[in-house]
Amino acid sequence: MIDIRTAGAKGLGVFAKKLIPRGTRIFSERPLLTIQSDNVGSLYPAVKLLSTQDRDALMALSSFRTRELDLMRWSVALIHTAKTTISTVLSAFQGKTAFATANKRNSISDHVEVVSIFRSNSFSIGAKLGIALFPKIARINHSCLPNAQGNFHEGLGRFNVHATRDIEADEEVSLNYLLESGQLRDVRVEKLSRGYGFECACPACDMSGKRGKDGEEKRIAMGELLKAFVERPMVGDVSDKEAELETIMAYIELYEGEGIAGKELSSMYMEAVNINTALHKPKEALKCAALAKELDKDCFGEDHTEYGKSLEIVRRVGSMN
């Protein structure tokens, strides 16, 4: 279905070998490593327990490093090394272990490289589960107009990536590394540069092309509409809900006009379901619920609990009609 090959300046990327229909599960991968977000110190000991093959897969991934990030990561490595050294020395003096000479796998620089790779390629899989790394999925590059989306399936213990639209043969598979919220190009570029060390050149960020310019104009207009809604005095009647619905539907139009699908768009439709229900518009509510259900089916899969929730909402809203 897919090939991993050179993607120009981006390094390696994932490409479709043939047409991948919308909703197809492209990847389903178990985590190589998982840590709690506030416990980076547990990362290196976990890496040392990996098999040679798994560790090679980890170390083959690229990383984004700056002087400031390296300083932070060196401090983490020094603390871990100090703790490990003290423990080893005490055990040796007590006759439990023999003194061992240092090697690269236990070096501070190696530790820093591991942290850098993990931070540059990991995904959040939920507040309770933490942050995880999936070596194959980590090869998927970013686009502000992605054709796929990844979501963790807790029941399967896997991170699944689904096509959110048809992906043509030889087209690169892409994910949005940022949460889509209608942000302007400069905001997106700054976040990607600071967090990942690259400047996005996708069609939405290419201001030399019509697609990029038109999209930016739509996002500016959307920002003005949102600002007007936020600054609008609430009068405490049905007009408040109608204004909120108008804003939500404008966001939906922006997303669909840009070809953006997935859970962000689904969430917008579900919010429209709630507002239409409050406005006693059951037919409109059911239409939005059905559209959200199809989006969830495509980006989560029919075996995911989120899709099950969408089915239940469609049933509940349908009973009102």
Side-chain angles (χ1 to χ4, degrees):
M1 186 191 306
I2 55 97
D3 268 335
I4 297 177
R5 62 176 190 258
T6 302
K10 294 182 285 188
L12 295 177
V14 177
F15 292 82
K17 294 171 66 175
K18 59 181 181 180
L19 173 69
I20 301 177
R22 174 177 172 169
T24 300
R25 183 167 292 176
I26 303 170
F27 283 102
S28 183
E29 189 175 8
R30 292 189 182 278
L32 181 69
L33 290 166
T34 305
I35 66 167
Q36 290 299 314
S37 58
D38 59 350
N39 190 17
V40 182
S42 66
L43 175 61
Y44 197 61
V47 170
K48 291 168 68 177
L49 296 175
L50 293 176
S51 67
T52 300
Q53 182 179 357
D54 285 344
R55 192 174 190 281
D56 288 346
L58 169 69
M59 301 307 289
L61 297 173
S62 61
S63 65
F64 170 52
R65 297 175 67 166
T66 64
R67 183 174 180 276
E68 291 76 15
L69 289 173
D70 272 359
L71 285 172
M72 288 191 301
R73 291 163 183 169
W74 271 86
S75 66
V76 172
L78 284 167
I79 291 171
H80 167 76
T81 302
K83 288 181 178 178
T84 303
T85 301
I86 292 170
S87 176
T88 301
V89 170
L90 285 175
S91 295
F93 274 122
Q94 294 168 359
K96 296 179 181 178
T97 61
F99 283 107
T101 57
N103 59 64
K104 187 182 184 303
R105 179 168 289 199
N106 296 319
S107 70
I108 296 175
S109 60
D110 189 49
H111 190 161
V112 172
E113 181 65 16
V114 164
V115 174
S116 298
I117 290 172
F118 186 84
R119 286 301 196 193
S120 299
N121 295 279
S122 56
F123 292 86
S124 172
I125 57 174
K128 293 181 180 179
L129 298 173
I131 305 171
L133 186 138
F134 307 86
K136 294 178 182 177
I137 293 172
R139 293 296 184 188
I140 304 177
N141 289 315
H142 165 85
S143 174
C144 298
L145 300 175
N147 52 28
Q149 188 171 87
N151 294 286
F152 190 67
H153 192 307
E154 190 170 346
L156 297 177
R158 292 175 175 270
F159 197 81
N160 296 329
V161 175
H162 291 87
T164 52
R165 63 168 174 80
D166 289 350
I167 303 175
E168 300 296 329
D170 292 323
E171 182 181 354
E172 185 175 5
V173 178
S174 58
L175 298 172
N176 193 339
Y177 292 1
L178 305 175
L179 178 66
E180 176 57 65
S181 58
Q183 297 168 325
L184 297 179
R185 177 187 182 277
D186 287 349
V187 176
R188 301 195 308 271
V189 166
E190 194 275 332
K191 286 185 175 181
L192 290 167
S193 177
R194 188 179 70 245
Y196 298 94
F198 66 85
E199 183 170 330
C200 184
C202 77
C205 292
D206 181 6
M207 292 298 106
S208 66
K210 187 177 185 300
R211 176 77 181 271
K213 291 178 180 177
D214 289 349
E216 193 75 353
E217 289 176 2
K218 291 176 183 177
R219 288 170 184 262
I220 291 172
M222 185 64 249
E224 292 298 320
L225 180 63
L226 181 60
K227 180 182 178 184
F229 172 72
V230 171
E231 294 178 350
R232 173 185 179 274
M234 295 292 109
V235 295
D237 62 16
V238 70
S239 65
D240 292 343
K241 284 293 182 184
E242 289 173 341
E244 185 179 0
L245 180 60
E246 180 185 357
T247 304
I248 290 291
M249 296 310 294
Y251 257 103
I252 288 174
E253 183 179 355
L254 167 67
Y255 284 13
E256 292 183 335
E258 288 283 86
I260 298 170
K263 60 186 177 184
E264 290 88 357
L265 183 57
S266 169
S267 297
M268 291 285 180
Y269 270 118
M270 282 303 183
E271 187 58 32
V273 171
N274 294 332
I275 300 171
N276 276 309
T277 300
L279 291 172
H280 305 291
K281 297 180 178 180
K283 289 184 179 180
E284 288 85 348
L286 181 58
K287 180 181 177 181
C288 290
L291 290 167
K293 174 182 71 71
E294 288 305 305
L295 287 163
D296 284 343
K297 178 182 177 181
D298 288 339
C299 72
F300 288 108
E302 294 184 51
D303 58 355
H304 200 286
T305 55
E306 289 300 316
Y307 178 65
K309 292 176 184 178
S310 295
L311 283 175
E312 180 56 34
I313 289 172
V314 169
R315 285 193 288 266
R316 176 173 56 80
V317 175
S319 68
M320 298 163 49
N321 283 267

